[in-house]
Amino acid sequence: MNILGKKKNADVVIDVTPRTPGEAEPPPPPVELRRPSAHVAEVWLNRPDVRNAFNEEVIALLTRTFTELAEDDELRVVVLAAHGKAFCAGADLNWMRAMADFSWEQNRADAGRLADMLWALWRCPVPVVGRVQGDCYAGGMGLAAVCDVLVAAEGVTFCLSEARLGLLPATISPYVVRALGEQASRRYMTTAERFSAADARALGFVHELVAPEALDAKVAEVVATICANGPKAVRASKKLVRHVAAEPLSAELRADTAKRIADIRASDEGKEGVQSFLHKRRPNWLD
């Protein structure tokens, strides 16, 4: 992707899989971290042979990768993407076979790790842009739902398929219901129907729907748009939306939002942004 940003660490691919000294060269990592610029990170699911289904290793790597990215003060945006024909098919079959013999306590611990992974993505302080190039099922819907901006290719299908297996999308539900909406979630969680990317776009789950060949260009456009904004303002805006969405309209909320705008107006970035606009010059965060 042609991404806007400083060229520090450009085109670096980072293997995030733990390894002991002297260990033989392993197969490609199931999660791949790329840093095309200092301001941009790309996290790629890299199990195309199993439709990017996740298992314990993928869950642990995604949790660790996003936890570490959250500590990067230079970071402005993360792209969540996948190699192969599918974005994510949910749980890996071998993982599911192992779970079939789990006790209740083991199932609870396993589900807790998945919940922690989704929380790590959700709490990422910068926008997460989802690049959905292929089908997105079950737990993959949770990954899509935590994204702040979702760009999908035409022809992609989505499905909350858990009920077909006598299960339910419990750990992903807080994120899916927020992103898809309560009414649509009631339908698609109980029917386990597939729905198209066009339907997802109409429901507001997908923000941008493009031809497959235009997917990377649209993702790059969204990334560049985010990187052009004040980096602290973007982080503060993401926090603002989540705070306001969870609060009732009240005197306390009015006071809180007034304080937030006063704080950012008085900040160095806020002053620089206003002055650059008034004097018709580039703000310093684009230098």
Side-chain angles (χ1 to χ4, degrees):
M1 283 185 283
N2 181 20
I3 303 295
L4 173 75
K6 297 179 182 178
K7 291 301 180 182
K8 177 183 175 183
N9 296 332
D11 302 320
V12 172
V13 178
I14 304 168
D15 183 350
V16 295
T17 308
R19 187 177 306 136
T20 58
E23 185 179 349
E25 188 65 26
V31 174
E32 182 181 87
L33 173 62
R34 297 180 178 180
R35 294 303 300 263
S37 81
H39 300 323
V40 180
E42 299 174 7
V43 179
W44 290 77
L45 302 178
N46 192 28
R47 305 183 76 214
D49 54 323
V50 291
R51 297 174 60 80
N52 292 309
F54 48 73
N55 56 14
E56 303 101 315
E57 182 182 18
V58 172
I59 289 171
L61 289 174
L62 283 174
T63 303
R64 183 160 66 89
T65 299
F66 273 86
T67 299
E68 291 174 356
L69 287 174
E71 302 302 316
D72 186 345
D73 292 335
E74 285 196 81
L75 188 65
R76 298 187 186 182
V77 62
V78 178
V79 176
L80 180 61
H83 293 295
K85 294 182 178 180
F87 177 71
C88 181
D92 179 87
L93 287 176
N94 290 326
W95 186 41
M96 291 179 68
R97 290 189 185 98
M99 285 189 291
D101 296 323
F102 279 5
S103 66
W104 185 94
E105 290 77 11
Q106 289 173 310
N107 270 298
R108 174 64 182 81
D110 186 77
R113 287 187 286 271
L114 176 58
D116 289 344
M117 178 198 76
L118 293 166
W119 175 248
L121 272 68
W122 173 259
R123 67 179 291 274
C124 181
V126 301
V128 178
V129 178
R131 174 193 179 275
V132 182
Q133 90 295 357
D135 291 345
C136 183
Y137 285 16
M141 285 285 293
L143 293 179
V146 299
C147 294
D148 300 286
V149 183
L150 201 62
V151 184
E154 295 169 351
V156 167
T157 57
F158 295 87
C159 186
L160 291 156
S161 56
E162 286 85 351
R164 294 181 188 173
L165 304 180
L167 303 174
L168 76 164
T171 50
I172 67 173
S173 63
Y175 312 100
V176 171
V177 172
R178 282 172 170 80
L180 185 61
E182 181 182 349
Q183 187 76 354
S185 295
R186 280 204 296 263
R187 172 178 177 174
Y188 290 113
M189 286 186 182
T190 57
T191 65
E193 297 171 281
R194 297 181 180 89
F195 57 103
S196 69
D199 290 334
R201 174 70 178 84
L203 291 165
F205 188 74
V206 166
H207 298 100
E208 295 285 350
L209 182 60
V210 297
E213 62 272 17
L215 183 62
D216 283 341
K218 178 54 70 173
V219 171
E221 178 186 322
V222 173
V223 167
T225 300
I226 292 170
C227 287
N229 297 330
K232 292 181 181 178
V234 169
R235 289 178 178 236
S237 293
K238 180 168 177 173
K239 290 177 67 175
L240 174 68
V241 171
R242 291 183 177 172
H243 176 74
V244 169
E247 295 292 326
L249 292 173
S250 65
E252 290 78 11
L253 183 61
R254 295 197 302 274
D256 176 79
T257 54
K259 179 182 182 301
R260 288 173 190 252
I261 187 60
D263 287 345
I264 206 158
R265 282 176 181 169
S267 71
D268 291 341
E269 182 176 289
K271 292 177 180 178
E272 167 64 17
V274 172
Q275 288 300 313
S276 66
F277 174 76
L278 294 175
H279 293 91
K280 299 182 181 180
R281 59 170 174 81
R282 285 164 56 93
N284 59 15
W285 59 78
L286 294 181
D287 294 340

